[in-house]
Amino acid sequence: MTRTLSRRGFLKTSAAGLGALTVAAPAIHTRAATATVRCGVVTSLSGENRFGGNLTRRGYDFWAEKINEKGGIEIGGERFKVEMFYGDAQSQPASGASAAERLIVQDEVNVLFGPYTSGVTLAVQPICAKYRVPMISGSAESPNVWLAQPAFNFGMIPSVDLSSGKAVGVIADAAGTRPASAAVVGVNEPFSKETAEGFRAGVKEAGLQLTSYELVPAQADLTPIVTNLKAQNPDLVAVGGHEEVLINVVKTARSLDFRPKAILMHYGVTNPAFARELGADADGVLGISMWTPKLPYEDALFGTAAEYDDASHARWGSRPDYTEAACSASGLVLQDAAARLGAPPPWDESARTELTKAIEETDIDTFYGPVAFDKEGDHFHCNTRPVPVVIQIAEGAVVPVAPGDAAEGEFVYPLPKWS
């Protein structure tokens, strides 16, 4: 069963609830007779990050459908169906925080599945702590998400500082003729900025000349930025941003007849919308993936990584990327922790706190890969176990090209001139 949160309905009915929140300590009424696990999804279903936001929803929903086909989550020998509720973050952190609070207070969800972007995730974390509701995030790769050591938030994907810097070195080593120079551009928002900083660190570590490093607004006119890159003519251009910006960088470079020997981006390249929007101009663009269907992983619900890929394709009509896969695996973390908790829903504050502790002790293998959360340091509650793979778009498909033991296709370097 799925339900969509109606903002209009909430505004009509929540005046009394909001009033209570202003005069009393936060409290959630738990439904004593509802034998379901109530899961809230707060993500960007509208706004500039809607493409990625809807991918996260697909990943979470696919897990819910699959576990409900089995009768629900098994806890103490009984199975409990999953109910999904949704809050649209509208690609804005403040809206995400409001949506999370509505899901917790109005819909009485037991657990949250996290937003698409790091900025919204940071805004939602205090809400989780306020109501002591655990949140499992299948996206959100900025290291800033974990620096404050959020007690109730857990991340499935290694933060971008761990993955983007390493990718530059992998590319330099895999190229037949090693690149000598690189330029880095990033959008000035949490995930994209941290991606750019990771690229910059990787350029330095790989021994390449950094011709420029620039942070730009999300709505910046890209023409002067790409014109400046063309004048520098670096071998490698690395871009930190989300799908819309990444797509527009390629379009602008095409219009200015500028094509570096390699162009590297991060998340967004593996989103099917990237190749669909750019067509043949997407070919050759490099990206980073934390998961591919060829990896030798499996679990009891989804089977192998390849079987998950085929089943998701049959369900949605397009192949899942690593974020969608990580979101589906988020459900596996919940069902494993709930089984170890051993207490049937509904879960009060005490039970949710114990559930959070159970999630912290996660140590499982899934179709997405190994999952265990750091318990200290700068990547507190981040799953740092997956190993990054460099991919390249070839005839619209996402093809792993490096490192060599993960490659499934030829690494095209240098890129040919625009035809």
Side-chain angles (χ1 to χ4, degrees):
M1 176 180 177
T2 59
R3 298 181 183 177
T4 300
L5 176 66
S6 166
R7 177 172 173 77
R8 179 178 297 177
F10 168 76
L11 292 173
K12 286 181 177 178
T13 59
S14 63
L18 288 174
L21 285 175
T22 61
V23 298
I28 308 169
H29 171 70
T30 52
R31 300 184 180 197
T34 304
T36 61
V37 177
R38 302 169 70 85
C39 300
V41 176
V42 53
T43 194
S44 297
L45 303 176
S46 62
E48 64 179 359
N49 296 316
R50 63 190 180 280
F51 296 115
N54 279 284
L55 278 185
T56 60
R57 174 175 173 169
R58 281 184 11 174
Y60 296 135
D61 281 355
F62 193 50
W63 165 76
E65 292 177 6
K66 287 299 181 183
I67 194 63
N68 280 340
E69 287 175 5
K70 300 286 187 182
I73 297 176
E74 184 172 1
I75 304 171
E78 295 183 60
R79 287 193 175 269
F80 298 87
K81 290 274 190 177
V82 170
E83 287 186 275
M84 301 293 276
F85 300 81
Y86 306 95
D88 183 5
Q90 302 172 5
S91 302
Q92 299 295 327
S95 299
S98 298
E101 190 152 22
R102 289 196 298 272
L103 287 167
I104 294 170
V105 174
Q106 181 182 349
D107 291 320
E108 302 173 17
V109 300
N110 306 125
V111 63
L112 286 174
F113 289 125
Y116 170 57
T117 67
S118 299
V120 177
T121 302
L122 285 164
V124 173
Q125 284 177 347
I127 306 301
C128 297
K130 178 180 178 180
Y131 293 100
R132 306 181 79 79
V133 172
M135 177 168 72
I136 307 169
S137 298
S139 184
E141 298 177 53
S142 168
N144 286 332
V145 171
W146 313 115
L147 283 176
Q149 301 199 340
F152 290 86
N153 191 192
F154 301 85
M156 296 295 291
I157 302 176
S159 60
V160 71
D161 60 319
L162 297 175
S163 56
S164 61
K166 291 179 181 178
V168 174
V170 169
I171 290 168
D173 292 341
T177 301
R178 189 179 178 85
S181 60
V184 177
V185 178
V187 174
N188 195 10
E189 57 86 28
F191 168 79
S192 304
K193 179 183 176 183
E194 302 297 342
T195 303
E197 290 177 351
F199 283 144
R200 181 174 61 178
V203 168
K204 181 180 180 181
E205 188 171 338
L208 311 186
Q209 177 195 0
L210 181 67
T211 61
S212 65
Y213 173 79
E214 186 175 9
L215 295 178
V216 302
Q219 303 302 325
D221 179 0
L222 294 174
T223 299
I225 297 166
V226 177
T227 299
N228 187 40
L229 292 175
K230 182 178 181 179
Q232 298 169 26
N233 195 29
D235 291 337
L236 168 67
V237 171
V239 184
H242 290 289
E243 296 89 337
E244 189 168 343
V245 170
L246 302 183
I247 289 168
N248 287 334
V249 166
V250 176
K251 286 182 175 178
T252 305
R254 180 77 155 94
S255 69
L256 295 173
D257 194 27
F258 169 58
R259 201 177 203 193
K261 294 178 181 177
I263 182 166
L264 171 64
M265 300 176 171
H266 198 301
Y267 181 70
V269 174
T270 56
N271 184 334
F274 182 84
R276 187 167 59 244
E277 183 75 17
L278 287 171
D281 290 347
D283 288 348
V285 175
L286 296 162
I288 303 168
S289 180
M290 302 312 304
W291 175 84
T292 75
K294 297 293 186 182
L295 290 170
Y297 301 139
E298 64 179 305
D299 61 64
L301 183 65
F302 291 111
T304 66
E307 288 170 339
Y308 170 84
D309 179 65
D310 288 339
S312 180
H313 178 260
R315 174 65 179 87
W316 304 112
S318 61
R319 298 288 176 183
D321 71 346
Y322 76 85
T323 292
E324 194 171 334
C327 290
S328 293
S330 299
L332 298 173
V333 170
L334 172 60
Q335 68 183 70
D336 171 72
R340 285 185 284 109
L341 176 67
W347 295 319
D348 61 13
E349 179 178 311
S350 175
R352 294 195 303 274
T353 300
E354 292 305 311
L355 177 65
T356 303
K357 293 178 181 176
I359 294 172
E360 189 173 54
E361 297 300 324
T362 296
D363 189 355
I364 59 174
D365 292 315
T366 74
F367 79 92
Y368 165 74
V371 182
F373 303 106
D374 283 14
K375 297 178 184 177
E376 59 183 11
D378 291 344
H379 300 96
F380 181 80
H381 280 182
C382 178
N383 175 29
T384 59
R385 290 196 177 182
V387 177
V389 176
V390 174
I391 62 90
Q392 191 166 39
I393 304 297
E395 297 183 350
V398 174
V399 180
V401 294
D405 57 358
E408 299 173 24
E410 181 183 359
F411 174 28
V412 178
Y413 180 91
L415 293 174
K417 299 293 183 184
W418 293 112
S419 60

